[in-house]
Amino acid sequence: MSENLSALCPGFDAGGARVTIEKLTLDRDRRKLCLSLFCDSFDGELPGRIEGYLRGEYPGLEVSVEPAFPASCFCDAAFQFVVRRLIAAGLPVNGFFFGSSADCDGETVTVTLTHGGLSVLTAVGFERAFAAETRRCFGFSPRVTFTGVTEVETVTMAPARPREELPF
């Protein structure tokens, strides 16, 4: 399709980004509209703003936006964007990245954790899911490494003594 977003959304302000519609799918029976877009610069809020605009213009339709950005735009904010998409899709990683940061060096993303949880992230398949979603959004599948506080120490407490029954 390769139309500029302004052809479909003439009143929408993309904030200076050039947004191209790569694919538009309308399922009239299910009342769903899905846009696959390419944005020439990264703005993690842009897909949500586009969805909100389209919901206002086409009430009653379920709207979804599948964004794509240049790989060169990948940064810490883009890492957080991908994590939010994974959480929205149901991957149980909410809270693990609070206070974290990410650095991209070519095909490797190094995540600095601050609250532990690496064993849980590994168990739920975070690295594989992150690589797949990053490929969808940025066109490359990074290798993920973790540094910082990767696990927190847990202390097992002795069970409490049973309460003595009172004689009354």
Side-chain angles (χ1 to χ4, degrees), residues 24-96:
L24 183 146
T25 306
L26 176 61
D27 183 336
R28 290 185 178 155
D29 295 333
R30 293 189 181 133
R31 310 237 350 118
K32 291 184 179 183
L33 173 66
C34 181
L35 285 179
S36 296
L37 305 173
F38 180 79
C39 308
D40 69 346
S41 59
F42 177 72
D43 175 353
E45 303 299 319
L46 187 60
R49 288 193 355 252
I50 294 170
E51 285 180 3
Y53 178 87
L54 290 171
R55 283 187 189 110
E57 292 293 307
Y58 304 100
L61 284 182
E62 180 182 325
V63 178
S64 65
V65 172
E66 294 298 323
F69 306 97
S72 62
C73 292
F74 194 87
C75 58
D76 183 57
F79 169 79
Q80 299 296 338
F81 171 79
V82 172
V83 168
R84 284 192 308 274
R85 287 180 61 86
L86 293 173
I87 291 168
L91 194 67
V93 297
N94 197 17
F96 288 102

Side-chain angles (χ1 to χ4, degrees), residues 2-168:
S2 200
E3 289 283 335
N4 192 300
L5 182 64
S6 61
L8 180 64
C9 309
F12 182 77
D13 178 13
R18 185 167 184 276
V19 181
T20 306
I21 300 171
E22 298 291 325
K23 182 178 178 183
L24 183 146
T25 306
L26 176 61
D27 183 336
R28 290 185 178 155
D29 295 333
R30 293 189 181 133
R31 310 237 350 118
K32 291 184 179 183
L33 173 66
C34 181
L35 285 179
S36 296
L37 305 173
F38 180 79
C39 308
D40 69 346
S41 59
F42 177 72
D43 175 353
E45 303 299 319
L46 187 60
R49 288 193 355 252
I50 294 170
E51 285 180 3
Y53 178 87
L54 290 171
R55 283 187 189 110
E57 292 293 307
Y58 304 100
L61 284 182
E62 180 182 325
V63 178
S64 65
V65 172
E66 294 298 323
F69 306 97
S72 62
C73 292
F74 194 87
C75 58
D76 183 57
F79 169 79
Q80 299 296 338
F81 171 79
V82 172
V83 168
R84 284 192 308 274
R85 287 180 61 86
L86 293 173
I87 291 168
L91 194 67
V93 297
N94 197 17
F96 288 102
F97 298 102
F98 180 73
S100 70
S101 62
D103 181 50
C104 185
D105 183 19
E107 295 287 314
T108 302
V109 175
T110 302
V111 180
T112 303
L113 296 173
T114 57
H115 301 291
L118 178 57
S119 59
V120 175
L121 293 170
T122 301
V124 299
F126 172 78
E127 294 163 51
R128 180 182 40 75
F130 180 80
E133 188 63 20
T134 303
R135 175 163 252 344
R136 275 190 287 283
C137 294
F138 291 91
F140 75 104
S141 296
R143 185 172 84 78
V144 181
T145 61
F146 294 94
T147 63
V149 180
T150 57
E151 296 299 341
V152 292
E153 186 178 325
T154 57
V155 177
T156 304
M157 299 187 65
R161 291 190 320 226
R163 288 187 171 193
E164 293 180 24
E165 295 204 20
L166 298 175
F168 43 84

